[in-house]
Amino acid sequence: MPRAGLTAATVTEAAAALVDEVGFDQLGIGLVAERLGVKTPSLYKHVTGQTDLAHRIAILAMNQCADAIRDAIQGRSGTEALARGAQAMRTFVKDHHGRYAAANAARPTGPDDPLIDALNRVVDSWAAMLHGYRIDPDQQIHALRMLRTVLHGYASLEAAGGFQFATDIDDSFTWMIDFIDHGLQETTATSTNSAPSSRAAPGVTL
Amino acid sequence: MPRAGLTAATVTEAAAALVDEVGFDQLGIGLVAERLGVKTPSLYKHVTGQTDLAHRIAILAMNQCADAIRDAIQGRSGTEALARGAQAMRTFVKDHHGRYAAANAARPTGPDDPLIDALNRVVDSWAAMLHGYRIDPDQQIHALRMLRTVLHGYASLEAAGGFQFATDIDDSFTWMIDFIDHGLQETTATSTNSAPSSRAAPGVTL
DNA sequence: CGAAGTAGCTAATGTCGTTAGCTGTAGACT
DNA sequence: AGTCTACAGCTAACGACATTAGCTACTTCG
């Protein structure tokens, strides 16, 4: 009986692919094992249990999400960065709704949980999308939270099938991003403050 | 051995209260039965199973949510309706995050599922919040979807503990609602169309 | 090539949702 | 009141699934 050559990373990848297909709530050790051609208890050599597995999926998902946004806004700024980053986030969630759900369900287990780094990478990605707008430093945290709210809200609704049978969702999404873009430019205009917009460093507190 | 006098409604209420305390993912038939002073299998006289119970919680939640918003915006319109309705929705979800999670997880089982009516009531509540703004009819659906996205996004993030240790969440929420209010008034200004803004009837397609 | 470490397996346990079948109660009908 | 029917709730049992214990055999390192 030859070995399958599994690692924690292999198992996590397979589980992430699984939940993207069947949904995060359908995650089961047995299904993952079957997909890997291995008996159920074998997985416990690589992950400590189902919660650990879900946690690893979450870390993977957040890192991939951050990568996707980073790649999408390479060198762009302002309106263009916002539009491209938002679309990147949206398509990532659409293609990987299972692992995104895992990420939403996950909570950091401690101060040095790798999940925190992954989450911070995503928050940094969102912050980068706002760089081009010269936002009053006092309002940066609010703008960032709004962006997170909108992106998360739209993504999770679409992933969960919230927008039933509607064919023009794409239009609504771009309309919404436009709406935010205009509003942010307005905000900038009113604030005559031209300080060099030091990068917001939100950390875990978002 | 006297009877407990349970009904489907009683069980649903108890289960909703339970998930608000322990979280929707911790929903268990045994816990609900214990709370009602009854043995586990007895609940199957009132609900067909765990999925049915979750489904009933979802219907209850959406109806209560719609009521809360309706009560909050009684007779108001425009900016004030938006602000009050948004706050009502937010506090409802904060106080009842378990049943709200149940509602998000639920899917209609058929065309005459009572869940659909409940969802439509909520959508109508949101639509009512936008009445005061004379929005171009072509853009009403987009504005409504944006409102839903923002409210749902914020509520679910806050319910799930997404905004870690941040004390100024209230400020961010009102800032965001203000942002949307300004943007909607802008939208109105540009559209010289003064048609009598017939009520958007989104139905299930949101 | 031998020994240590370990990946994967079989067997067994506990929890939990669910079903089957029984019993006593609450309300209806005479 | 007395009886009869409907059914709420119970006990017992089953099945699915996560998890643990302990064994076997493959792989790698010296």
Side-chain angles (χ1 to χ4, degrees), chain B:
Chain B
M1 44 195 92
R3 293 202 178 174
L6 303 180
T7 68
T10 315
V11 174
T12 305
E13 299 268 6
L18 176 70
V19 293
D20 282 344
E21 293 173 24
V22 303
F24 177 60
D25 50 330
Q26 295 299 315
L27 174 61
I29 302 286
L31 288 175
V32 180
E34 184 183 23
R35 179 165 294 221
L36 290 167
V38 158
K39 300 294 181 181
T40 303
S42 303
L43 296 186
Y44 287 82
K45 297 289 176 175
H46 307 287
V47 296
T48 70
Q50 194 166 29
T51 58
D52 176 43
L53 180 56
H55 195 257
R56 287 170 186 271
I57 297 173
I59 296 169
L60 175 67
M62 289 296 89
N63 278 317
Q64 290 177 331
C65 184
D67 291 346
I69 299 176
R70 168 174 49 70
D71 294 349
I73 64 179
Q74 280 288 21
R76 325 265 175 163
S77 72
T79 302
E80 207 176 357
L82 177 64
R84 295 173 67 101
Q87 283 294 350
M89 163 104 186
R90 185 184 167 217
T91 56
F92 173 79
V93 176
K94 195 190 292 188
D95 294 342
H96 306 291
H97 60 275
R99 63 191 79 186
Y100 183 70
N104 287 332
R107 293 288 139 238
T109 60
D112 50 354
D113 188 332
L115 177 61
I116 293 180
D117 294 335
L119 289 171
N120 282 338
R121 288 194 58 212
V122 176
V123 174
D124 287 348
S125 297
W126 290 331
M129 290 167 61
L130 297 179
H131 264 165
Y133 306 91
R134 295 188 154 271
I135 303 171
D136 182 338
D138 295 346
Q139 307 197 349
Q140 289 209 6
I141 181 63
H142 299 134
L144 182 54
R145 281 178 177 157
M146 178 179 70
L147 182 60
R148 179 194 190 186
T149 299
V150 168
L151 293 178
H152 165 75
Y154 208 93
S156 69
L157 282 174
E158 192 171 5
F163 299 114
Q164 307 266 54
F165 309 117
T167 55
D168 54 346
I169 306 185
D170 302 295
D171 296 343
S172 290
F173 187 75
T174 54
W175 185 92
M176 188 169 70
I177 298 298
D178 274 5
F179 183 94
I180 292 175
D181 176 56
H182 291 345
L184 287 178
Q185 283 171 352
E186 271 281 322
T187 302
T188 306
T190 5
S191 121
T192 51
N193 188 331
S194 62
S197 100
S198 67
R199 175 167 201 173
V204 196
T205 38
L206 186 110

Side-chain angles (χ1 to χ4, degrees), chain A residues 15-66:
Chain A
L18 176 69
V19 293
D20 281 345
E21 293 174 24
V22 302
F24 176 59
D25 49 331
Q26 294 300 314
L27 174 61
I29 302 287
L31 288 176
V32 180
E34 184 183 24
R35 179 165 294 220
L36 289 166
V38 159
K39 300 295 179 182
T40 303
S42 303
L43 296 186
Y44 288 83
K45 297 289 177 178
H46 308 287
V47 296
T48 70
Q50 191 164 263
T51 59
D52 177 42
L53 180 57
H55 196 257
R56 288 170 188 272
I57 296 173
I59 296 169
L60 175 68
M62 288 296 91
N63 278 316
Q64 290 176 331
C65 183

Side-chain angles (χ1 to χ4, degrees), chain A residues 95-144:
Chain A
D95 294 343
H96 305 291
H97 60 275
R99 65 191 78 186
Y100 183 70
N104 287 332
R107 294 287 139 235
T109 60
D112 49 354
D113 188 332
L115 176 61
I116 294 180
D117 294 336
L119 290 171
N120 282 339
R121 287 194 58 210
V122 176
V123 175
D124 287 348
S125 296
W126 289 331
M129 290 168 60
L130 297 178
H131 265 164
Y133 306 92
R134 295 188 154 269
I135 303 172
D136 182 339
D138 296 346
Q139 307 197 350
Q140 290 211 3
I141 181 64
H142 298 134
L144 182 54

